[in-house]
């Protein structure tokens, strides 16, 4: 619909959004008005013509979604929602203030923001997740729009998302790259070479449309073309100018992230004339036409059947996890699983085989996998479980970090913990995963040491209203618990205990079983020890540890298949800080390990039964 | 600007930047220093991890530490960087608290035969040290000291300066405190901390512009494990922070001078 009235209105709205971007950043004395200006027409067209949504009900699950991947343009995003009627325009002057949710970069503290952005290159992946859910899970007509900057297209994660979008034929997804030529400190590598952008997008299987990004008519036509393009997503390549519409600043380097200062008034005055607000008739926001089925949420999500390890001797926790995940999927229809081409190692393949429509193969692209999971989980319709080797989850550390800022409920499952994996060697061993995952505010970190607890970890994870990390192991472990054992977040289990224990050992996974072997050795020389299976490293069961340490002559050995920093040892010592007279020995992997048989490695790195027993002897 | 032929602009692609740095540094002809915001270095966590397995001598420099950056908000704040970087075997982690020590950190980093992480900050800090002050890896500095200190405070970066302001407040109510600038978080100067804690009635406040896990607090508590009778209060950022003025954020998240002084009062 390109009649002159519509076009004229949208142009004027674009300038109005420019004014708000300048004024709010001026008031805050920080922010990115020039980056906002280049995307003013894009924003105007999307918010006041193309997108179907309800400003009074921004989280409506049937509405079109918008992701601002170039999150530093928060001011224009806020301006658009304000002008659409989501909140008073006067609130825009509270940008970046401590008592306002209009933060410097968007976070879902705002009800019109689904995912936090600001770390570049992640938004398209979030949008892919939303689009995948829309097309395959919700099977609805809503569309997903994502605006990226050109500088951020240097991020590899962006291209992981491009590959994913075309592979899964996400034709309900439209990306817009705001090619304004200038990055923060230098021009972006391709500057205005629109042909190379077009070729790259085309090569990745998307439908490219090159437009003058300041031209409303061309943008309207492009979005219409996108909506009619089937079987492949569209990427609009908008040639723009940083600071467009801002006299004297347009297309100049050195204006990134700077309020306009003493140039503001003159520029605003000029823009006001163009807007002529007195005669501006705001268009109706397009109404939501898509439908989504209501998802009936379970009060309590349960595994379809309880753990059953009768007659089983030894089972790996990674396998038990796969078993549980399948049972979880059968017990709850809104659980989704993802994997990065490791599903036959992480055992998410069991879920895939049983419930293929709810499994997303993300291939060897962990950053995008996490981004997609966070996108699928947004608006809290689905619960996502992400799987790969624990060490490869660190490939997506920044995405997990941003997920924390989004308060995502995504669950991260990392297999192949520590040196206990054996011959594959250190590149495949996670020895720093707890150090990182523990830092995510409010995350729960599970470290199940047998199959029964591994299954319950999955169930507890699904019910926890926040992010979760589960560390699973490769080797087979003896079954420790009865099938009907009850587990709780933050509650450790004492697996070996007597009335004359001389020392407490805290361990997890492979080291828990090594500790039990050590206990046998020590029994032989008349020493009894108490062994604690933490189950959750965060929150940590301080009470149980403290009570046990106090009852065992204040002697404590903590042993972990992890580097010394940030894992079980530091978590325990942190929990016990301020306790008097505790004698601790901390066993961990203290150097870069190597390939070898698991048992040889456990010994070489000082975390096997022999070393544990020696540590106890030393303390006693 | 000074040495353009020796600068590689890697654009917004941190994984590749670290990969390129490790490649340039291989066969030990060149020493590489990688730079971005500390939180964006985590985008290359797996590359840094593999760099550790390669025994690379690459030096990683992360700026914009913590909530002290202010209005840009949490997406730009590094609050978990030490937790990750400390895990790299044999890495040296510097946290300079003033300009003099920041310069020496770079020099020490270049001479260290291994990987290094340097955490730099955005706000202006007072100069703490004389121009000719000597610094060593693993050696902390005591920046405030007297013969009747009632408590030790361990801090770094912005919190070191907040601790010094707290010391002024506490002086006003007749309480003297000892303040330690760790300089290197890894290796940590256990001896200096222990000596100081023992000389200050076994009272210790650790305060950091970092989440509670894996940073200064856990490093210190780990170093002191097994010591008897140490009473510790650990101040850190305990939730996802938000945008605001730096001073407001330091206060809101409990790591400013006022909260440090209160913690000392509580212990005493």
């Amino acid at each position: 619909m390109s009649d002159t009235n519509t076009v004229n209105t949208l142009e004027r709205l674009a300038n109005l959004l420019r004014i708000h971007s300048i004024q709010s950043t001026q008031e805050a004395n920080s922010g990115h008005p020039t980056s906002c200006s280049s995307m003013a027409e894009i924003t105007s067209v999307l918010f006041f013509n193309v997108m179907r949504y309800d400003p009074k009900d921004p989280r409506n699950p049937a509405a079109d979604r918008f992701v601002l991947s170039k999150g530093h343009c928060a001011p224009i995003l806020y301006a658009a929602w304000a002008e659409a009627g989501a909140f008073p325009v006067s609130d825009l002057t509270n940008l970046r203030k401590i008592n306002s949710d209009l933060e410097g970069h968007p976070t879902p503290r705002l009800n019109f923001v689904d995912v936090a952005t600001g770390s570049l290159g992640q938004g398209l992946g979030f949008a892919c997740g939303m689009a995948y859910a829309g097309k395959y899970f919700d099977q609805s007509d809503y569309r997903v729009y994502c605006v990226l900057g050109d500088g951020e297209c240097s991020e590899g994660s962006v291209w992981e998302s491009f590959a994913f979008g075309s592979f899964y034929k996400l034709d309900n997804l439209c990306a817009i790259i705001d090619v304004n030529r200038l990055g923060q400190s230098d021009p972006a590598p391709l500057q205005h070479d629109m042909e190379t952008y077009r070729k790259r997008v085309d090569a990745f299987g998307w439908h490219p449309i090159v437009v003058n990004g300041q031209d409303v008519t061309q943008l309207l036509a492009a979005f219409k073309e996108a909506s009619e393009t089937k079987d492949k997503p569209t990427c609009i390549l908008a040639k723009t100018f940083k600071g467009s519409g801002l006299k004297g600043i347009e297309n100049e380097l050195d204006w990134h992230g700077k309020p306009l200062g003493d140039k503001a008034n003159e520029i605003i005055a000029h823009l006001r004339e163009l807007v002529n607000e007195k005669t501006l008739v705001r268009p109706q926001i397009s109404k939501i036409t898509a439908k989504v089925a209501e998802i009936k949420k379970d009060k309590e999500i349960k595994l379809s059947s309880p753990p059953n390890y009768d007659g089983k001797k030894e089972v790996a926790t990674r396998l038990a996890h796969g078993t549980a995940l399948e049972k979880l999927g059968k017990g709850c229809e809104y659980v989704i699983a993802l994997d990065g081409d490791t599903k036959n190692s992480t055992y998410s393949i069991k879920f895939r085989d049983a419930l293929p429509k709810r499994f997303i193969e993300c291939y060897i692209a962990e950053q995008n996998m996490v981004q997609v999971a966070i996108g699928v989980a947004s608006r809290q319709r689905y619960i996502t479980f992400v799987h790969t080797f624990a060490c490869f989850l660190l490939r997506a550390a920044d995405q997990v970090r941003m997920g924390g800022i989004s308060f995502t409920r995504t669950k991260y499952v990392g297999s192949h913990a520590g040196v206990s994996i054996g011959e594959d060697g250190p590149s495949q061993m996670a020895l720093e995963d707890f150090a990182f995952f523990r830092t995510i505010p409010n995350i729960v970190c599970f470290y199940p040491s047998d199959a029964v607890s591994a299954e319950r970890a999955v169930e507890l994870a699904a019910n926890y209203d926040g992010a979760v990390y589960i560390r699973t192991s490769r080797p087979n472990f003896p079954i420790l618990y009865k099938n009907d054992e009850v587990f709780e977040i933050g509650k450790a289990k004492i697996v070996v205990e007597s009335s004359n224990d001389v020392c407490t050992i805290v361990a997890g996974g492979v080291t828990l079983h090594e500790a039990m072997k050590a206990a046998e050795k020590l029994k032989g020389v008349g020493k009894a020890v108490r062994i604690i299976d933490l189950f959750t490293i965060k929150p940590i069961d301080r009470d149980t540890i403290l009570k046990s340490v106090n009852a065992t002559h204040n002697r404590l050995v903590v042993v972990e298949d992890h580097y010394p920093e940030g894992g079980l040892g530091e978590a325990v010592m942190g929990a016990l800080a301020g306790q008097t007279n505790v004698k601790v020995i901390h066993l961990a992997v203290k150097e870069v390990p190597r390939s070898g048989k698991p048992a040889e490695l456990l010994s070489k790195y000082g975390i096997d039964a022999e070393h544990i027993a020696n540590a106890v002897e030393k303390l006693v | 600007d000074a040495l353009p032929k020796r600068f590689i602009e890697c654009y917004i692609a941190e994984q590749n930047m670290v990969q390129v740095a490790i490649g340039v540094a291989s066969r030990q002809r060149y020493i590489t220093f990688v730079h971005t915001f500390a939180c964006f270095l985590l985008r290359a966590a797996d590359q840094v991890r593999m760099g550790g397995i390669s025994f690379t001598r690459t030096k990683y420099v992360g700026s914009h530490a913590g909530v002290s950056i202010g209005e840009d908000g949490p997406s730009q704040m590094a609050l978990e960087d030490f937790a990750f970087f400390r895990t790299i075997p044999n890495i040296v982690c510097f946290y300079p608290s003033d300009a003099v020590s920041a310069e020496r950190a770079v020099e020490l980093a270049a001479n260290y035969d291994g990987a290094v992480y340097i955490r730099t900050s955005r706000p202006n800090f007072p100069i703490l040290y004389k121009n000719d002050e000597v610094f060593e890896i693993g050696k902390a500095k005591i920046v405030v000291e007297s013969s009747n200190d009632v408590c030790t405070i361990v801090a770094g970066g912005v919190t070191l300066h907040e601790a010094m302001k707290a010391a002024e407040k506490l002086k006003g109510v007749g309480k003297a405190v000892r303040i330690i600038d760790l300089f290197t978080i890894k290796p940590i100067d256990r001896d200096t901390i222990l000596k100081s804690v023992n000389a200050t009635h076994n009272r210790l406040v650790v305060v950091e512009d970092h989440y509670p896990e894996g940073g200064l607090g856990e490093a210190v508590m780990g170093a002191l494990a097994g010591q008897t009778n140490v009473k510790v209060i650990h101040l850190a950022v305990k939730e996802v922070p938000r945008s605001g003025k730096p001073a407001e954020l330091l206060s809101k998240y409990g790591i400013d001078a006022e909260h440090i002084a209160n913690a000392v009062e509580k212990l005493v």
Side-chain angles (χ1 to χ4, degrees), chain A residues 30 32 96-98 100-101 103-105 109 117-122 151-152 154-155 157 185-187 189 367 391-392 394-395 397-399 401-402 404-405 407 426-427 429 432 435-436 438-439 441 538 563 565-566 570-571 573-574 577-578 580-584 591-592, chain B residues 9-15 19 37 39-40 42-43 45-47 49-50 52-53 55 71-77 79-80 83-84 86-89 186 210-211 213-214 218-219 221-222 225-232 238-245 248-249 252-253:
Chain A
S30 76
H32 304 73
R96 297 180 161 228
K97 291 188 180 152
I98 196 167
S100 167
D101 285 343
E103 299 188 64
H105 294 75
R109 287 190 175 109
T117 51
S119 179
L120 297 173
Q122 302 189 23
E152 82 172 300
S154 288
E155 287 288 6
S157 55
S185 63
D186 254 340
Q367 293 184 96
C391 61
F392 305 142
L394 284 179
R395 192 63 158 265
D398 195 31
Q399 281 76 4
R401 182 183 76 88
M402 288 303 293
I405 297 170
F407 311 113
S427 66
M429 298 170 173
E432 55 281 281
F436 170 69
R438 285 176 59 232
T439 66
K538 177 174 177 175
Y563 285 138
E565 295 87 2
E570 286 197 351
M573 292 188 280
T580 62
N581 280 326
V582 179
K583 297 265 172 275
V584 187
E591 52 183 302
V592 175
Chain B
E9 175 57 69
C10 297
Y11 297 99
I12 306 174
E14 298 78 14
Q15 294 185 96
Q19 289 158 186
F37 284 30
C39 62
F40 304 143
L42 284 178
R43 191 62 158 268
D46 195 30
Q47 283 76 3
R49 180 183 76 88
M50 287 304 293
I53 297 169
F55 312 114
E71 289 88 339
D72 263 358
S75 67
Q76 319 289 304
M77 297 169 173
L79 291 154
E80 54 282 280
F84 170 70
R86 285 177 58 234
T87 65
I88 308 298
K186 177 176 179 177
H210 189 278
Y211 284 138
E213 296 86 2
E218 287 196 350
M221 292 187 282
Q227 290 311 307
T228 64
N229 280 324
V230 179
K231 297 265 172 275
V232 187
K238 293 185 171 154
E239 53 183 302
V240 176
R242 56 191 308 138
S243 288
K245 293 189 173 64
E248 294 174 326
L249 296 177
K252 183 174 172 67
Y253 300 107

Side-chain angles (χ1 to χ4, degrees), chain B residues 30-88:
Chain B
Y30 300 101
I31 298 172
T32 45
F33 279 77
V34 164
H35 299 79
T36 185
F37 284 30
C39 62
F40 304 143
L41 275 176
L42 284 178
R43 191 62 158 268
D46 195 30
Q47 283 76 3
V48 173
R49 180 183 76 88
M50 287 304 293
I53 297 169
S54 288
F55 312 114
T56 189
R57 277 77 165 171
T58 297
K59 326 295 176 183
Y60 307 101
V61 184
S63 68
H64 290 69
V67 303
S68 65
I69 72 165
E71 289 88 339
D72 263 358
S75 67
Q76 319 289 304
M77 297 169 173
L79 291 154
E80 54 282 280
D81 50 323
F82 278 130
F84 170 70
F85 275 102
R86 285 177 58 234
T87 65
I88 308 298

Side-chain angles (χ1 to χ4, degrees), chain A residues 8 50 109 165 266 273 296 299 319 371 423 472 528 530:
Chain A
N8 179 260
V50 171
R109 287 190 175 109
E266 194 191 328
E273 280 180 31
K296 191 162 176 300
K299 253 215 197 114
L319 174 55
Q371 288 158 185
E423 288 87 339
T472 68
R530 190 162 301 187

Side-chain angles (χ1 to χ4, degrees), chain A residues 518-572:
Chain A
E520 282 303 307
K521 281 182 194 280
L522 290 160
K523 210 198 269 183
V525 293
K527 297 189 174 93
V529 292
R530 190 162 301 187
I531 304 180
I532 298 178
D533 175 13
L534 282 179
F535 185 55
T536 49
I537 312 304
K538 177 174 177 175
I540 196 166
D541 189 349
R542 184 178 179 274
D543 287 347
T544 298
I545 301 171
L546 192 51
K547 195 160 160 231
S548 179
V549 163
N550 287 338
T552 58
H553 307 269
N554 280 349
R555 298 187 191 111
L556 175 61
V557 174
V558 188
V559 51
E560 58 184 313
D561 195 356
H562 188 280
Y563 285 138
E565 295 87 2
L568 273 67
E570 286 197 351
V572 170

Side-chain angles (χ1 to χ4, degrees), chain A residues 419-432:
Chain A
V419 304
S420 65
I421 73 165
E423 288 87 339
D424 264 359
S427 66
Q428 319 289 304
M429 298 170 173
L431 292 153
E432 55 281 281

Side-chain angles (χ1 to χ4, degrees), chain A residues 299-319:
Chain A
K299 253 215 197 114
E300 196 195 336
I301 301 169
K302 287 189 188 320
L303 299 175
S304 58
S305 61
N308 184 353
Y309 290 94
D310 291 339
K312 296 278 198 323
K313 287 212 139 153
E314 293 199 345
V315 175
T317 55
R318 60 173 175 145
L319 174 55

